[in-house]
Amino acid sequence: MKRLFRTGLLASAMAVGLGLSVANAAGPTNDDLLNDAKSTGDVLTYGMGHQGQRFSPLTALNPDTVKKLVPVWSFSFGGEKQRGQESQPIVHEGMIYVTGSYSRLYAVDAKTGEKKWQYDHRLPEGIMPCCDVVNRGAALYKDKIYFSTLDARLVALNKDTGKVVWSKKTADYQAGYSATAAPLIVDGKIITGNSGGEFGVIGMVEARDAETGELIWQRPTIEGNMGTLNGKESTMTGKLNASWPGDLYKTGGGATWLGGTYDPETKTLFFGTGNPAPWNSHLRPGDNLYSSSTLAINPENGEIKWHYQTTPHDGWDFDGVNELVAFDLKKDGQTIKAGAKADRNGFFYVLDRTNGKLINASPFVSKITWAKEIDLKTGRPVYNDDNRPGSPEAAEKGKSVFAAPAFLGAKNWMPMAYSPATELFYVPANEWGMDIWNEPITYKKGAAYLGAGFTIKPLYDDYIGALRAVDPKTGKIVWEYKNKAPLWGGVLTTAGNLVFTGTPEGYLKAFDAKSGQEVWKFNTGSGVVGSPVTWEQDGEQYVAVVSGWGGAVPLWGGDVAKMVKDINQGGSLWVFKLPKA
């Protein structure tokens, strides 16, 4: 009855006229989204809560009962459009919404696996996705389901019928822009980022009216570019030419391709920004703000509250796009509003999320060559200067450097999880390095804008991937699980003392959250590079994950790509449950 009054009698009457239940027509409210981390009967947001902790309070599944977890059904995405499947499902009132490669969206009955509807976005010729034709998920709000597409559009569909309500162009795909991240809904605004940093684009965070799709504000991530608010210029990002020479800021990269998180306590958006363009750092002296950074943004007007740059003057494509996960740090008798980030550059950062001040930074991989440490006073890396790729002239003489981590990162896009129960982060890491050298490059619209060559190599013979439990108070690794192939999927943790993640070998695996002991596994038939979720339905706990090998590793992985070339592709959604006793 409360939901009836909240949505209004008119909406209810329309729902009855369409033959829909009032609950289905209404959909989740802003309050529902804000409560997602605590609710157990659904998964309404990417990250299982705006903060991105990917923690479920469910306890039925635990190290003792997980052996009874069984597959219920598998739904195929169909056709020949396989490739990488990096999506996280959304679950609402018995329906699962999941995106697939090539900008597809499905609605599937959670109990039976029956498809209710399917939307195939019509992609134009000439799209230029950097790192496979992936999509990481959708956003649900009221009666609409939203997702971004590879031709840089934002599409809103009716959640019950799959019919297009509106479709908005967010950027020019012919200039190299695309979009792969799951949107974020905050106070009736749909917040998105963009992709395309390898093509000399300008990173952007923008907010639109979730009902109409009309633009409210835009915030460029590269210094010198002008933001907008309500159709007019607002403020410049940073200061013109403060850390970028000449006109390079106009093609400076900094794409926000992973999307963001939101902290309702401080009313702040957190978006990571990608690599500066071009990769060749000799062409752009300076810190190159705000690339390879975390930006704290006011969701009302797009203004930057604070920033923290993890790799100033990035010359290795370490990016800085990794998610900032809000959590309460309990240390020395105090509780600090903190945020944690496992950066591609190999360091695990803990920041004060109210002001961006560094609390702690420590390695979460075994080999970091580009920096000695992070200075806790300045927050800046102490560089190993001889590990920066040299000038293009040096490369012509056959000189390169071996740097670790590789540019695919100590942790790439795959989201980590945090458990308030164990007070540990669970980080999917990779151990690899690269030969890298710089090359001459000039900007051309729609062409790759790298200025570097590279070959990725594994550091060890017995493993590349490592799931690691990290204590944010000390930075110490509490336990680790080593995997032969790289880890490329997201992580889920639960109050039942479990950690779930997938492997390229096809397994969805569960571990004891305290000890790291493997307690369950199931082979899905293709590599798992999606993010698992869990919820409760009819008194039973469910787990779902998308299966389908792909992503950046087989495309950019060098020697590592050769090692995993025989892994079969796929495209399916697997659902498991713990049956009633």
Side-chain angles (χ1 to χ4, degrees), residues 135 162 173 242 244 307 345 348 371 404 414 459 469 471 480 482 543 570:
N135 188 282
Y173 75 88
W244 287 86
H307 79 277
N345 69 19
F348 185 90
M414 51 280 193
L459 294 179
D471 185 341
E480 66 179 2
K482 296 179 179 179
V543 175

Side-chain angles (χ1 to χ4, degrees), residues 285-314:
D287 280 355
N288 310 132
L289 291 171
Y290 293 100
S291 67
S292 300
S293 301
T294 291
L295 302 184
I297 298 175
N298 183 333
E300 292 302 313
N301 56 21
E303 294 297 318
I304 296 175
K305 294 182 176 184
W306 56 257
H307 79 277
Y308 181 84
Q309 190 173 36
T310 48
T311 314
H313 194 44
D314 185 355

Side-chain angles (χ1 to χ4, degrees), residues 217-289:
W217 56 256
Q218 283 185 324
R219 173 51 52 195
T221 63
I222 296 299
E223 222 176 37
N225 292 279
M226 188 66 67
T228 68
L229 177 63
N230 298 323
K232 299 178 181 179
E233 287 189 348
S234 56
T235 58
M236 179 179 289
T237 300
K239 297 180 180 179
L240 182 63
N241 293 137
S243 64
W244 287 86
D247 288 340
L248 282 175
Y249 72 96
K250 296 179 179 179
T251 53
T256 49
W257 56 267
L258 192 54
T261 57
Y262 174 67
D263 174 33
E265 290 187 29
T266 60
K267 299 187 184 307
T268 306
L269 296 167
F270 301 112
F271 270 74
T273 66
N275 56 281
W279 289 15
N280 186 336
S281 61
H282 286 258
L283 297 179
R284 43 173 176 78
D287 280 355
N288 310 132
L289 291 171

Side-chain angles (χ1 to χ4, degrees), residues 83-86 131-132 134 488 529 548-556:
R83 304 284 289 270
Q85 309 293 347
E86 294 184 353
C131 307
D132 208 355
V134 301
W488 208 254
V529 295
W549 172 240
V553 174
L555 296 175
W556 294 75

